[in-house]
Amino acid sequence: MGEAVALRVREGAGTRKRIEVGPGLWVGGERPAVLVATPVDGEVPGAGGRAAAGGVTRRVRLLAAAGFPLVELRPGSSPYGPAPDPLDLVRAAREGADVALAFPVTDPAALTSLEGHVDAYRVPPAHMQNFRLLRALGAVRTPVLLSRGPAATIEEWLLAAEYVLAGGNDRVILCETGVLTAGGGPLPVPDLAAALEAARQTALPVLLDVSYVPHPPGPLVRAALAAGIGGAVLRVERDADPDLLAPLLAGAELGRGASLPAVRRAIDATDRVLLAALADRMRLAARAGTVKARLGLTVYQPEREQQLVEALVGDAREPLGARAVRAIWREILRASREVQQPVGPAGSERHRPAPASQAAAD
Ligand SMILES: O=C(O)C(=O)C[C@]1(C(=O)O)C=C[C@@H](O)C=C1
């Protein structure tokens, strides 16, 4: 038996590496990465190629305006008719907007023309063990999104990544595209446990690809982010569900040169997340009120309030300053006390004047 080789794919296992996909756009950092896949089927340059390229331009411009920083073009393929020239599609998309572009590759020869024109390559699931392609990707420095093949084990997936890493390209992002399930249709559904296991065994960023799931992917994406998965791959036309996109866009890094409407959309998304979190907080406050009433405790607990506000001040991150945290939580806590002790019109059952100390706190 030969000596065991120390695999690069396992270096730093359990820690998370950040990979820059285009200037200022990171995958694997603290914020979730959102890659939006957009099919460009039928948009084949050649006869009518200009109109087709125009379609790509429009689509990518729209995605950029919606705040998506990383877009993948997914051209369809067919044994009949001319294959789209990848570079034509990429050029058309570049005219549309300043976003980072990912492009699927299946043929090592395509790298020669695409290198320098795309921000990332994606190895589709069926090519996970296309070793000539993986070796070629090891020789470039462009980030590689490596999708797990539908029948591949985690071990096989990581060993496929090893081919790229061994070639010297350490910018590998794992993409859990999934497994074929009985009765689940012809497309794979992602396995969250597999994605988490891959994240445990390597330091590479892992994305969950929900672009093929047959049901609304919101709950799955939320679960993945809560579990610490680095982001998601969505398909845009079906997944434009605001409840799903809000938390993703709120946390995602905006692309370079994002326009004011794009920044405002991200702000709106962030506000929705805040609103939902505040409603959750108020529900908990109401529970605390019920428990305290049972224990005969007063609504206003100044020590607890001071302690929690100071803990938040300590944890606040730039550019959120201590003054802002104190002011914001003053209002949150006021609302929280109100939930526990609704103030009705004076003289009514629900009206109970606030204790002097509480009034002072207000
Ligand atoms: O901890 C409690 O006792 C609560 O009722 C919760 C809460 C809060 O919203 O965090 C609300 C009122 C109290 O003055 C202190 C804290």
Side-chain angles (χ1 to χ4, degrees):
M1 261 212 334
E3 244 176 72
V5 181
L7 294 180
R8 292 191 185 185
V9 73
R10 298 197 200 280
E11 274 169 19
T15 60
R16 274 297 59 80
K17 188 156 117 179
R18 288 173 90 215
I19 293 179
E20 194 172 20
V21 182
L25 181 62
W26 297 86
V27 174
E30 276 183 22
R31 290 142 181 249
V34 191
L35 169 65
V36 177
T38 182
V40 288
D41 304 64
E43 293 167 321
V44 180
R50 288 206 176 280
V56 175
T57 308
R58 267 197 307 282
R59 179 76 69 90
V60 172
R61 198 178 284 149
L62 266 174
L63 294 175
F68 291 111
L70 180 55
V71 173
E72 181 196 336
L73 303 178
R74 276 194 192 164
S77 75
S78 155
Y80 306 106
D85 179 344
L87 202 52
D88 278 352
L89 294 175
V90 167
R91 284 208 182 103
R94 283 261 179 255
E95 267 174 46
D98 193 13
V99 289
L101 271 185
F103 202 86
V105 279
T106 54
D107 179 359
L111 300 186
T112 322
S113 62
L114 283 172
E115 196 51 11
H117 297 277
V118 298
D119 296 289
Y121 295 112
R122 177 167 176 270
V123 178
H127 286 264
M128 190 201 84
Q129 287 176 320
N130 179 342
F131 296 113
R132 266 163 40 83
L133 175 64
L134 297 175
R135 279 189 198 283
L137 289 168
V140 298
R141 294 295 168 268
T142 306
V144 175
L145 283 136
L146 181 62
S147 292
R148 181 160 75 104
T153 63
I154 294 169
E155 185 74 8
E156 287 164 338
W157 186 22
L158 299 187
L159 289 176
E162 186 72 16
Y163 275 80
V164 183
L165 297 168
N169 186 356
D170 61 357
R171 298 181 176 182
V172 177
I173 297 160
L174 297 172
C175 192
E176 167 52 13
T177 308
V179 287
L180 296 171
T181 58
L187 297 171
V189 289
D191 179 343
L192 181 50
L196 287 170
E197 184 51 26
R200 199 182 66 82
Q201 293 192 24
T202 77
L204 303 176
V206 182
L207 303 181
L208 197 75
D209 185 346
V210 297
S211 63
Y212 300 124
V213 299
H215 47 77
L220 189 55
V221 172
R222 279 190 281 276
L225 295 184
I229 290 297
V233 182
L234 310 175
R235 204 165 69 217
V236 78
E237 81 278 42
R238 217 191 32 184
D239 304 335
D241 157 16
D243 281 350
L244 167 64
L245 296 183
L248 287 172
L249 287 178
E253 285 188 58
L254 283 176
R256 50 210 147 118
S259 64
L260 184 58
V263 178
R264 284 187 175 157
R265 246 178 265 259
I267 288 177
D268 289 346
T270 307
D271 283 345
R272 267 198 230 176
V273 172
L274 285 175
L275 205 59
L278 285 172
D280 285 346
R281 197 186 191 289
M282 293 304 149
R283 268 192 294 277
L284 292 170
R287 290 275 296 271
T290 312
V291 177
K292 286 194 296 189
R294 208 184 305 134
L295 297 173
L297 296 172
T298 54
V299 166
Y300 183 46
Q301 300 281 327
E303 262 178 44
R304 165 68 182 152
E305 289 196 9
Q306 196 188 354
Q307 183 194 36
L308 77 83
V309 171
E310 288 317 309
L312 290 167
V313 165
D315 287 348
R317 271 181 297 169
E318 283 291 323
L320 186 63
R323 230 163 75 105
V325 171
R326 290 204 177 93
I328 292 165
W329 259 267
R330 195 176 309 128
E331 286 310 313
I332 291 176
L333 288 165
R334 187 207 302 268
S336 171
R337 279 184 248 117
E338 237 170 73
V339 164
Q340 296 184 23
Q341 183 179 273
V343 180
S348 79
E349 274 269 288
R350 292 168 68 195
H351 178 76
R352 265 174 291 164
S357 52
Q358 180 183 328
D362 288 356

